[in-house]
Amino acid sequence: MAMAVANNKTHCFTCNKEKITYPCRGCSKEFCLIHLTEHQQMLNEELNHIINDYDQFKQRINEKKKNPQSLQNLSLIKEINQWETNSIEIIQKKAQNCRETIITSSEIFINEIEKKFDDLSEQIKQIHKENEFNEINLNYLKNQLIEITEELNNSSNISIQQNSQSFINEISIISSKRSKFNKWKQNAITVAGGNGQGQDLNQLKISVGIFIDKNKNIFIADCDNHRIIEWKHNAKKGQIIAGGNGNGNRMDQLNHPQDVIVDQQNHSIIITDSLNRRVIRWMNQNQQTLIDNIDCWGLAMDKHGFIYVLDWKTNEVKRWKMGECNNEGIVVAGANGKGNQLNQLNSPSFIFVDEDQSVYVSDEYNNRVMKWKKGAKEGIVVAGGNGEGENLNQLFKPQGVIVDDLGQIYVADCVNDRVMRWCEGKEEGEIVVGGNGEGNRSNQLNGPRGLSFDDEENLYVADSGNDRIQKFEIISE
């Protein structure tokens, strides 16, 4: 609440007397000094009430945490138990009916065989009694015995058939917080490049990492043009915001930049200047080396201001606090040599860091995506890991990786020219865009690399082989 002395006397809202008054910014009313104090006290009491309400709500949360088996949950669990009991009864009844059918059928079958045998025995007795028989009669009797012996050995002509359609009522849990699986239009819009390979401002040359800011401006690591180019929302061409002065190691030059992120708080961009083996920051045309002597590739920043850099040569990801990048950094993934064990990586490419500071790594030559939880000594496979290939449980040289708010993992499956979505713990993923063969049509990709979402969850893909950035619009429900 801000106060300012009024120049002229006005009426106090409480006592309605003409006095020197003070405005309350919250309610826009004027109070004399005495009643302003009263008004503040009332506000304090109201704040105390609110604090008390919050404390009571916190107590309710604690009670629910201590006792997750609330009355509602117990009622639902009781319903599940009843379903289980009913289903077991149905299964047991069905099984008993099948057992009885088998026993009855077996008895009928044996009786039929016995009747055939008795008929043949009677014929033998008759022949023996009349003493009139020849080779034809004997062969007939032999063959008949062989037939009923085979019939008996085959046991019966009944078997079990299992129907895939359930005869038990299906049960599932329905929650209002249901996960949503977004879908995107399969024909993309080209939002940057797409004018052939080149170095003009409307062209790209092997685009790798991309970053979309809150205004839908696209920042592109235009690798073979040795520059970072910003493509304003709906612009026909981009503008160079870093590099673009030829291939070199001067501070105003880049050498095959691979990834770029925008620190929107500081209005600066951070770049992995790959072949110069340095991570640099450009801010207002001023350049600063943050980290050097690093074979850098993928780059990420978390909400706490830590930056994460992937070193493809040492097969590790390290973390630095912004402003403290002159030290060695902390290893958060890999650093156990090149390999395919759970604590190893093999020429990784891109990284993503989630809200919990878990690090997702596109482990390119192992054809998998690994997740390293904060402080973990080894990762878990969350996508691929079944050799290179195009099956739904495989990846082929994965590149860009991003994770949505539901923890679903999206990966640029580079050689398969598609973007896949994987849910952690699932055996296979699904194709969300691309997968229609290598090509430059609007529903095709050619060696996709960087991935990004904008704030509306439209999906952007650095379609590297086609030197363009594709925007796949989300389909609204």
Side-chain angles (χ1 to χ4, degrees):
M1 180 168 58
M3 295 180 291
V5 178
N7 292 326
N8 301 312
K9 290 183 178 182
T10 55
H11 288 90
C12 169
F13 178 78
T14 304
C15 63
N16 203 29
K17 293 179 180 177
E18 193 173 311
K19 294 184 176 182
I20 294 174
T21 57
Y22 305 86
C24 170
R25 186 176 290 177
C27 64
S28 300
K29 295 183 175 77
E30 301 272 345
F31 298 92
C32 66
L33 192 58
I34 295 169
H35 291 113
L36 179 67
T37 306
E38 279 183 12
H39 184 62
Q40 285 177 315
Q41 191 162 350
M42 284 173 60
L43 291 178
N44 281 331
E45 286 173 7
E46 192 173 337
L47 175 61
N48 288 332
H49 282 305
I50 292 169
I51 290 170
N52 187 46
D53 290 344
Y54 269 72
D55 289 341
Q56 287 181 5
F57 188 79
K58 177 64 177 174
Q59 194 174 340
R60 285 183 63 195
I61 289 175
N62 289 337
E63 285 170 4
K64 283 189 176 289
K65 283 172 75 175
K66 286 178 187 173
N67 183 26
Q69 293 191 346
S70 65
L71 288 175
Q72 183 190 4
N73 285 347
L74 285 173
S75 172
L76 292 172
I77 289 169
K78 189 176 177 183
E79 201 174 322
I80 292 168
N81 291 343
Q82 189 59 53
W83 171 84
E84 181 184 27
T85 302
N86 293 345
S87 298
I88 289 170
E89 284 177 5
I90 292 168
I91 291 169
Q92 287 175 334
K93 189 174 180 182
K94 184 73 174 178
Q96 186 57 30
N97 288 342
C98 289
R99 281 191 285 266
E100 289 172 1
T101 301
I102 287 174
I103 291 166
T104 304
S105 299
S106 296
E107 288 172 352
I108 292 169
F109 174 73
I110 295 296
N111 289 338
E112 287 177 351
I113 294 286
E114 190 177 23
K115 188 175 183 304
K116 287 182 182 178
F117 178 74
D118 289 344
D119 288 344
L120 287 171
S121 296
E122 279 298 317
Q123 289 182 46
I124 290 172
K125 284 179 186 177
Q126 191 71 26
I127 287 171
H128 194 262
K129 184 179 177 182
E130 294 175 358
N131 203 24
E132 284 188 10
F133 56 88
N134 55 30
E135 288 84 355
I136 294 172
N137 303 113
L138 296 178
N139 283 334
Y140 170 76
L141 292 172
K142 282 180 187 176
N143 289 333
Q144 286 299 301
L145 184 60
I146 289 168
E147 277 185 27
I148 61 170
T149 302
E150 284 180 358
E151 205 172 333
L152 184 64
N153 289 340
N154 290 334
S155 182
S156 80
N157 57 355
I158 60 172
S159 62
I160 291 174
Q161 177 183 343
Q162 294 192 36
N163 195 330
S164 61
Q165 291 182 341
S166 175
F167 66 95
I168 298 165
N169 291 333
E170 183 59 83
I171 189 172
S172 60
I173 308 300
I174 297 169
S175 170
S176 59
K177 298 282 186 186
R178 200 167 43 190
S179 295
K180 59 173 184 174
F181 290 91
N182 288 337
K183 292 184 178 179
W184 291 267
K185 293 178 182 177
Q186 294 301 296
N187 292 304
I189 302 166
T190 300
V191 289
N195 297 300
Q197 190 174 95
Q199 60 183 6
D200 290 341
L201 291 178
N202 69 344
Q203 293 180 307
L204 299 169
K205 190 175 183 184
I206 311 297
S207 50
V208 188
I210 55 174
F211 184 96
I212 316 298
D213 73 8
K214 58 188 177 185
N215 297 317
K216 295 186 178 62
N217 300 320
I218 309 163
F219 295 80
I220 307 162
D222 190 12
C223 182
D224 282 17
N225 280 326
H226 314 292
R227 66 189 184 185
I228 304 298
I229 193 163
E230 179 187 2
W231 218 285
K232 296 283 189 186
H233 184 48
N234 290 333
K236 298 297 181 187
K237 62 182 180 179
Q239 59 188 66
I240 299 167
I241 56 169
N245 297 306
N247 173 2
N249 61 7
R250 296 196 316 262
M251 287 306 293
D252 66 340
Q253 292 180 308
L254 299 170
N255 189 350
H256 291 88
Q258 296 296 332
D259 208 356
V260 57
I261 56 175
V262 178
D263 183 353
Q264 297 183 78
Q265 284 187 331
N266 296 321
H267 304 289
S268 65
I269 62 166
I270 303 166
I271 308 157
T272 48
D273 189 12
S274 182
L275 293 191
N276 280 327
R277 303 185 68 246
R278 65 188 180 186
V279 178
I280 61 174
R281 175 164 62 178
W282 285 51
M283 183 163 54
N284 299 325
Q285 295 304 310
N286 294 317
Q287 299 84 42
Q288 174 193 7
T289 299
L290 297 179
I291 306 160
D292 56 13
N293 297 317
I294 182 169
D295 292 289
C296 47
W297 199 277
L299 183 63
M301 177 183 281
D302 69 19
K303 63 181 181 182
H304 305 290
F306 288 96
I307 66 168
Y308 299 72
V309 184
L310 184 151
D311 188 322
W312 62 270
K313 211 167 202 176
T314 57
N315 296 287
E316 65 185 7
V317 179
K318 282 186 173 181
R319 183 183 73 206
W320 283 266
K321 179 72 175 174
M322 185 63 80
E324 299 174 12
C325 297
N326 53 355
N327 56 30
E328 285 297 307
I330 297 169
V331 173
V332 293
N336 294 297
K338 182 189 292 187
N340 60 8
Q341 301 301 308
L342 291 179
N343 67 345
Q344 294 179 308
L345 300 167
N346 188 354
S347 295
S349 54
F350 285 84
I351 54 176
F352 180 90
V353 182
D354 69 11
E355 291 284 306
D356 301 320
Q357 293 183 305
S358 293
V359 180
Y360 296 77
V361 187
S362 275
D363 192 8
E364 183 177 343
Y365 281 21
N366 283 326
N367 299 293
R368 66 188 185 184
V369 176
M370 301 293 290
K371 176 183 179 181
W372 291 64
K373 292 183 179 177
K374 186 179 179 181
K377 298 300 179 188
E378 62 180 34
I380 57 173
V381 180
V382 291
N386 298 299
E388 65 181 39
E390 60 181 18
N391 295 326
L392 291 179
N393 69 340
Q394 293 178 306
L395 297 169
F396 199 160
K397 292 198 170 27
Q399 297 287 309
V401 59
I402 48 177
V403 181
D404 67 14
D405 293 338
L406 298 171
Q408 299 167 138
I409 302 127
Y410 298 77
V411 55
D413 191 10
C414 185
V415 179
N416 286 324
D417 305 304
R418 64 191 184 185
V419 176
M420 300 281 288
R421 172 168 58 200
W422 291 67
C423 296
E424 188 175 331
K426 295 290 186 183
E427 293 295 320
E428 60 182 36
E430 60 177 323
I431 301 167
V432 290
V433 297
N436 299 305
E438 178 187 307
N440 60 8
R441 297 200 307 269
S442 61
N443 69 339
Q444 291 180 306
L445 298 168
N446 181 0
R449 308 284 280 276
L451 295 181
S452 189
F453 287 124
D454 65 19
D455 55 3
E456 293 177 350
E457 296 181 303
N458 299 306
L459 177 62
Y460 295 73
V461 183
D463 189 14
S464 190
N466 286 321
D467 300 297
R468 65 186 183 182
I469 309 300
Q470 297 292 85
K471 176 184 177 182
F472 292 88
E473 294 184 317
I474 192 165
I475 298 172
S476 301
E477 293 181 357

